[in-house]
Amino acid sequence: MELWFTEKQTPAFGITAKIRETFVHEKTDFQQLDMIDTEEFGRMLVLDGMVMTTIKDEFVYHEMVAHPALNTHPNPKKVLVVGGGDGGVIREVIKHPEVEKAVLVEIDGKVIEYSKKYLPEIAGKLDDPKVEVIVNDGYMHILNSKNEYDVIMVDSTEPVGPAAPLFEHGFYQGIYEALKEDGIFVAQTDNPWFKADLIQKVNKDVKQIFPIVRVYAANVPTYPSGLWTFTIGSKKHDPLEVDESAIQEMDTKYYSPRLHKAAFVLPKFVEDLVK
């Protein structure tokens, strides 16, 4: 008998993958957590029926959350990752030698536990000496932090359940206050095919708070539509003014110095959303 996992990305559209094995099917204190092994994308973390990451394509998302912001900030010593309990963004953050401390705040400790067990390629740096892991509410951590971080990265699920507050105007204001005077933040902001309204709302909210706001995109096959956006809010440093020749080559599979500025060139229909 064949077993298939299907994510309904909209009420009328979804993606499906053939399953080899189910490792975890558990209702945590916050969400439904499934860890499965698929034939096409390998091991896959699914939260509330939504694909969070897979072994095959995880590098795209994690690299594109981390490196554009870190290569824009001239000296990112202290970095916060909100969400991202799979550890992929943390893995990318600590590739930057100037980062002295990377703090991960994940609300659901089970995500961390099962990612370490079943996704060691992704979660393997969570025990690095530079990394501090806090199992707590990222929203409250932000509100209780003032002038503390050089870069803040919001690696959240889609805006449902425990992640819903991470897409609110007040959260972005809290991020602004938690950043140092030349700080930068970046958040995943979903896809323009199915969530155009969300992208517009986030862009409007962030522009009311940060003087420099840029949107960029990447291709993540297992995310809804495959075209995924990210939004940067910066107090001083513009990612479009970065000297590409000064960006150090590192161990990446998607991001590169040549891609840095190219990622900010958006399809016109996406460009029109964020004017």
Side-chain angles (χ1 to χ4, degrees), residues 186-206:
V186 60
Q188 72 85 6
T189 43
D190 222 295
N191 79 90
W193 290 103
F194 308 140
K195 295 290 182 66
D197 290 349
L198 175 67
I199 293 172
Q200 285 183 313
K201 178 186 180 300
V202 170
N203 192 255
K204 179 182 177 183
D205 287 348
V206 176

Side-chain angles (χ1 to χ4, degrees), residues 44-47 50-54 61 86 156-158 223:
M44 177 185 288
L45 171 63
V46 180
L47 297 178
M50 297 176 288
V51 176
M52 293 295 107
T53 194
T54 83
Y61 175 83
D86 58 60
S156 65
T157 64
E158 294 188 54
Y223 286 1

Side-chain angles (χ1 to χ4, degrees), residues 16-141:
T16 188
K18 190 177 179 183
I19 299 174
R20 284 198 191 101
E21 186 175 356
T22 299
F23 301 119
V24 179
H25 178 69
E26 181 176 322
K27 184 75 173 177
T28 75
D29 291 339
F30 300 96
Q31 55 207 334
Q32 177 62 45
L33 187 157
D34 293 280
M35 193 75 74
I36 58 180
D37 189 17
T38 68
E39 290 197 5
E40 188 63 45
F41 285 92
R43 280 160 281 129
M44 177 185 288
L45 171 63
V46 180
L47 297 178
D48 285 336
M50 297 176 288
V51 176
M52 293 295 107
T53 194
T54 83
I55 292 297
K56 186 173 182 176
D57 69 353
E58 57 87 9
F59 63 89
V60 181
Y61 175 83
H62 295 135
E63 290 177 14
M64 292 302 284
V65 171
H67 300 309
L70 289 174
N71 282 323
T72 298
H73 196 289
N75 192 23
K77 291 184 178 180
K78 189 173 184 181
V79 178
L80 171 66
V81 178
V82 176
D86 58 60
V89 173
I90 285 288
R91 180 195 65 201
E92 297 303 314
V93 166
I94 63 172
K95 288 179 180 178
H96 291 255
E98 64 272 26
V99 173
E100 296 174 357
K101 186 170 186 180
V103 180
L104 174 77
V105 181
E106 164 63 55
I107 197 168
D108 193 341
K110 289 290 186 178
V111 174
I112 298 169
E113 177 187 339
Y114 289 128
S115 294
K116 284 182 173 181
K117 184 173 182 179
Y118 295 106
L119 306 171
E121 306 94 325
I122 302 174
K125 295 298 183 180
L126 287 175
D127 295 321
D128 188 277
K130 285 186 177 183
V131 177
E132 178 183 1
V133 177
I134 301 171
V135 178
N136 210 333
D137 185 340
Y139 189 97
M140 295 308 300
H141 183 88

